[in-house]
Amino acid sequence: MKSTLITLLLLLGYMSQVPAQNVRFATTGQIDFEKKINMYAIIKKTINKDNEGYMQAAFDQYKKNQPQFKILKSTLAFSNDQTLFSPLEDTQKDANGFWGSDPNVVQNNIIFSNLSSQTFITQKKVYEETFLVKDSLRKINWKLTSETREIAGYECRRANAIIMDSIYVVAFYTDKIPVSGGPESFNGLPGMILGVALPHENSSWFATSVKDRPVTAAELKAPIKGKTMNTKGLNDTLNGVMKRWGNYAQAVLKALTL
């Protein structure tokens, strides 16, 4: 009886260690993301006393024919210290009417990030013009919390931050993917960011799947098209073009420089 009990305890001890032995820390692969946009909330923000006569009618018609949330898809290829964020084609753009080209409801950035050199190259489409922005990665002052959430099969820890002086960001990252990247321009946490929510901007990005696989150099090729400039140059250009756009300019600039 005593020997049986000892054997059982040894077996249980071994089994408790097996999962830990099978944990794999992926440093190369592909993540599929979905961006979810609350179209009703975004459109409602554009209605004011100067345009409500026609905008409210257009909004009411939109709600009759279109869902509240728009879904956009993208991929993030990563290998060690490099990532490439690539949006997939927006198949709903035409269905959104004149709101379809609003910078708040599209994904027009192809972003190559070098986490080792802390630099990025972004191909950014702004209406009919394309820019190639090269600069240092955004420094984000993250504050880690104890809250956790499972995303795409990974346990993720929550972090909060404020970027661009006023945008509140909630992110979830996993240290099981020890690459300090994420969707769009979000980075700087001790692991891959699998979820980002911008509560006041009515949008979020969350991973739907993670593929642990080799990534080729071709899959991490930085974009090359567009008028080359740095972040300041882009901001100066956009401010110059939109200075007569009134209050709407601020919302557009925020979306284009996020």
Side-chain angles (χ1 to χ4, degrees):
M1 181 68 180
K2 184 177 180 181
S3 61
T4 302
L5 181 60
I6 292 173
T7 301
L8 180 60
L9 290 174
L10 289 173
L11 179 61
L12 290 173
Y14 169 76
M15 291 179 65
S16 68
Q17 294 181 34
V18 170
Q21 293 172 352
N22 291 334
V23 171
R24 175 177 169 82
F25 289 80
T27 58
T28 177
Q30 176 186 310
I31 304 171
D32 297 324
F33 281 96
E34 280 190 352
K35 181 180 182 181
K36 189 175 184 180
I37 307 162
N38 187 337
M39 293 295 295
Y40 290 3
I42 286 177
I43 295 172
K44 189 174 182 179
K45 289 179 181 179
T46 67
I47 302 174
N48 56 51
K49 60 182 179 62
D50 296 323
N51 62 26
E52 62 183 351
Y54 62 89
M55 285 290 284
Q56 185 61 52
F59 181 32
D60 292 340
Q61 186 62 35
Y62 184 93
K63 289 190 289 185
K64 290 180 181 178
N65 301 309
Q66 299 297 332
Q68 180 175 358
F69 294 97
K70 177 177 180 178
I71 305 296
L72 297 173
K73 298 181 182 296
S74 58
T75 63
L76 182 74
F78 65 94
S79 181
N80 298 312
D81 61 352
Q82 296 184 342
T83 68
L84 182 67
F85 177 80
S86 304
L88 303 183
E89 182 180 1
D90 179 4
T91 58
Q92 300 170 286
K93 187 173 181 179
D94 293 338
N96 296 135
F98 59 82
W99 285 294
S101 60
D102 189 316
N104 289 286
V105 304
V106 296
Q107 290 188 131
N108 286 333
N109 299 326
I110 300 174
I111 306 173
F112 171 81
S113 299
N114 187 317
L115 304 172
S116 178
S117 64
Q118 289 290 290
T119 59
F120 73 86
I121 301 174
T122 297
Q123 181 177 300
K124 183 183 293 287
K125 187 175 181 183
V126 180
Y127 296 108
E128 301 304 318
E129 191 162 1
T130 301
F131 298 95
L132 191 68
V133 186
K134 301 181 180 182
D135 214 323
S136 299
L137 291 175
R138 173 184 284 140
K139 305 296 184 183
I140 303 177
N141 184 26
W142 295 106
K143 294 183 178 180
L144 306 186
T145 76
S146 60
E147 182 180 339
T148 60
R149 172 175 178 172
E150 184 175 312
I151 302 173
Y154 287 82
E155 183 179 49
C156 299
R157 184 178 178 183
R158 175 175 173 170
N160 304 325
I162 301 292
I163 63 172
M164 299 168 63
D165 297 327
S166 62
I167 299 179
Y168 177 54
V169 182
V170 176
F172 292 89
Y173 73 94
T174 175
D175 57 9
K176 299 301 185 293
I177 305 177
V179 178
S180 187
E184 288 280 357
S185 60
F186 298 102
N187 68 89
L189 282 166
M192 182 63 75
I193 298 172
L194 296 183
V196 174
L198 308 181
H200 304 303
E201 313 307 316
N202 311 112
S203 60
S204 64
W205 294 258
F206 279 88
T208 56
S209 69
V210 178
K211 302 177 179 70
D212 180 359
R213 64 170 180 81
V215 172
T216 66
E219 293 178 276
L220 287 170
K221 190 175 181 180
I224 58 174
K225 297 180 180 179
K227 184 178 180 181
T228 302
M229 58 183 61
N230 60 17
T231 302
K232 184 180 183 305
L234 175 69
N235 291 341
D236 290 345
T237 299
L238 295 178
N239 275 293
V241 171
M242 299 177 188
K243 61 184 178 182
R244 296 186 181 88
W245 288 26
N247 293 333
Y248 180 61
Q250 295 304 312
V252 172
L253 285 170
K254 184 185 294 185
L256 290 174
T257 55
L258 184 61

